[in-house]
Amino acid sequence: MDTAELEAKVIEFIASKVDNADASTITIASKFDELGLDSMDTIQLLFDAEDTFGVTFDGEEVKTLRSVGDIITYINEHPPEGKA
């Protein structure tokens, strides 16, 4: 999947998981706290993203994920098995 397609899928995914979020207002620069997510909400979002995108977020690296763009970059750098 190319980056533009991945961006669109991640934004749609996040919009579906965040209360009162509209995909048209979410960008790759959107930070989780700006979307109203606290640390527990963010952890749940990442668990859900693992299932949806077939990736596993590393325990240490997950601490650096703060924005939509961070998730997209992580998925690009750690593609699901067999999709590299």
Side-chain angles (χ1 to χ4, degrees):
M1 153 177 357
D2 69 15
T3 301
E5 185 180 355
L6 179 60
E7 284 178 18
K9 286 185 184 248
V10 170
I11 287 171
E12 284 295 326
F13 164 78
I14 291 173
S16 75
K17 297 292 180 181
V18 177
D19 291 337
N20 302 315
D22 181 351
S24 67
T25 63
I26 298 173
T27 70
I28 62 170
S30 297
K31 298 198 180 305
F32 301 137
D33 60 346
E34 295 169 346
L35 296 172
L37 300 176
D38 63 19
S39 59
M40 292 303 291
D41 294 329
T42 299
I43 290 168
Q44 185 59 55
L45 178 79
L46 295 175
F47 280 138
D48 292 344
E50 286 182 331
D51 292 338
T52 300
F53 296 102
V55 297
T56 301
F57 293 106
D58 176 85
E60 286 303 308
E61 288 183 320
V62 78
K63 295 175 187 175
T64 66
L65 303 176
R66 304 259 187 265
S67 71
V68 175
D70 291 343
I71 289 180
I72 294 164
T73 299
Y74 189 93
I75 294 170
N76 274 329
E77 292 176 354
H78 305 87
E81 281 292 313
K83 296 187 180 180

